[in-house]
Amino acid sequence: MKQFTVTGFINALHVTVSKKALLLDPKCDIVFKAIFTHGKDGKTALLGFINAVLDLPVHKKITKIEYLNTHVQTLFREQKKPVMDIIVRSEEGQLINIEMQVEDKDNFFYRTQHYLACMLHDQSISGEAYSRLESCIAINILDYSLDTGLSCFHTRYRMHETTSLTAMPLGLTEIHFIELPKLIEYTKGILPEHILARWAFYFKDLPGNKYPEILAQILCEEKEIKMAEDARIKVSLMEKFLYSYRSYQRAKWDETSSRIYLREKALREGRAEGIAEGKAEGKAEGKAEGLEAGLTEGSRQKQLEIAICLKAEGIDTELICRTTGLDINEIEKL
């Protein structure tokens, strides 16, 4: 086992407790995967979380899982991001994909169905022995709300007959969405009773610590959640993981910076085109002033969008202020 150097340990401890960006939010996908693949505590915690989501009868609860992907690779700038979902197989053969998603940047309904289709397709079967196919379950934890019109924070989707709503016999796919922003409305800010709501409360409240008494009670009463928290603390002190974490964060910041640059470029080109068209058409001074005012407001709106994007990435408020030119109080209200 690798021995930590004193300097490495102190540096790891320092960045863990002193900088907001390195508090290791469990909603960060690389941290999420590290927690639930770290030793016995992580595996036991993951098993408890899966059972909380599936809500199976006691005699059908999953008791063993096998990891099918655990590696959180070291990142370099020229590399693509590693896959940060967790795939396990239960003792009954079920394939379960667990993923944390903090940004609403693609259509997750299509994406999760595609993943499940791939999981079904990739299973080895001989001839037409389709009965050997194992069921595939997707568990998606989202730090944003889906546009479903439903207020509950946990939704489950299966194939069913549309008239009677009877489940399809021997259905092979099941999709779960856990929408963390809907949690506080669900719990009304009090200690939740259901174990899944307690898990969601842990994910959502830990970084901001808005309800420390509730979180402390959850950690005291739920041993699997406490194991997850213990694993989070352990990985936060691992020098090797912190290197991967910082590399991953830099890659995300580079991506964000690129998006900002492209938006700014489009804004500049749009402004230049608008001015050129205004001159070409010989617009009156009043109309030109109106155009300038519109461009100014458009620029401000773009800066707000950029600030929201940067804030979602966990970038320091002061840095966002310097990047966008917005007032710090305005950024904190976003």
Side-chain angles (χ1 to χ4, degrees), residues 4 17 54 87 120 179 187-188 225 242 294:
F4 295 119
V17 300
L54 301 183
I87 303 176
L120 281 171
E179 301 166 66
T187 62
K188 307 302 181 184
I225 301 179
L242 286 176

Side-chain angles (χ1 to χ4, degrees), residues 151-153 182-189 192 194 197:
S151 60
C152 48
F153 80 97
K182 296 180 179 179
L183 178 70
I184 300 303
E185 181 180 346
Y186 172 82
T187 62
K188 307 302 181 184
H194 194 275

Side-chain angles (χ1 to χ4, degrees), residues 127-332:
E128 297 183 356
Y130 293 110
S131 61
R132 296 184 182 180
L133 287 172
E134 303 292 354
S135 63
C136 298
I137 301 171
I139 300 175
N140 304 300
I141 311 158
L142 311 177
D143 198 27
Y144 57 89
S145 297
L146 296 170
D147 186 18
T148 60
L150 302 173
S151 60
C152 48
F153 80 97
H154 176 216
T155 50
R156 174 185 298 191
Y157 294 88
R158 294 173 176 168
M159 295 182 69
H160 64 268
E161 198 282 321
T162 58
T163 302
S164 65
L165 300 183
T166 302
M168 181 176 180
L170 305 176
L172 288 174
T173 60
E174 180 174 305
I175 301 175
H176 295 257
F177 293 105
I178 300 169
E179 301 166 66
L180 298 180
K182 296 180 179 179
L183 178 70
I184 300 303
E185 181 180 346
Y186 172 82
T187 62
K188 307 302 181 184
I190 61 176
L191 178 70
E193 295 183 2
H194 194 275
I195 180 60
L196 180 57
R198 293 189 172 198
W199 270 108
F201 205 99
Y202 166 72
F203 292 134
K204 185 64 178 174
D205 190 60
L206 180 64
N209 202 26
K210 294 180 180 179
Y211 302 93
E213 298 85 1
I214 296 177
L215 188 58
Q217 188 168 348
I218 289 174
L219 293 175
C220 180
E221 296 179 358
E222 304 296 342
K223 66 176 184 178
E224 287 90 356
I225 301 179
K226 181 61 168 60
M227 286 180 176
E229 175 61 3
D230 290 342
R232 186 191 69 86
I233 293 172
K234 288 176 182 177
V235 298
S236 74
L237 298 175
M238 293 173 61
E239 188 175 352
K240 184 177 180 180
F241 173 75
L242 286 176
Y243 176 81
S244 294
Y245 174 81
R246 295 190 196 103
S247 298
Y248 183 63
Q249 288 295 84
R250 283 196 297 269
K252 293 185 71 175
W253 292 339
D254 287 348
E255 181 182 340
T256 301
S257 177
S258 177
R259 290 202 301 265
I260 293 172
Y261 170 76
L262 293 175
R263 288 181 182 180
E264 286 293 319
K265 181 180 178 182
L267 182 61
R268 289 194 301 270
E269 292 175 350
R271 182 184 294 112
E273 183 179 348
I275 293 173
E277 289 180 358
K279 290 180 178 180
E281 295 173 5
K283 291 187 176 181
E285 183 178 348
K287 290 185 178 180
E289 291 176 355
L291 175 62
E292 183 178 355
L295 288 170
T296 300
E297 179 59 28
S299 177
R300 182 178 182 280
Q301 184 61 36
K302 287 293 184 182
Q303 295 302 86
L304 286 172
E305 292 176 4
I306 293 169
I308 292 172
C309 180
L310 290 172
K311 193 170 183 180
E313 296 283 355
I315 295 176
D316 184 74
T317 302
E318 293 183 1
L319 180 56
I320 299 175
C321 184
R322 293 197 300 271
T323 303
T324 62
L326 297 173
D327 182 79
I328 190 167
N329 294 325
E330 189 174 20
I331 294 173
E332 289 177 346

Side-chain angles (χ1 to χ4, degrees), residues 104-123:
D104 184 9
K105 60 182 179 181
D106 52 17
N107 194 316
F108 217 85
F109 287 106
Y110 288 115
R111 176 177 169 179
T112 191
Q113 290 178 86
H114 175 71
Y115 279 11
L116 284 186
C118 291
M119 290 170 70
L120 281 171
H121 180 269
D122 291 344
Q123 294 183 49

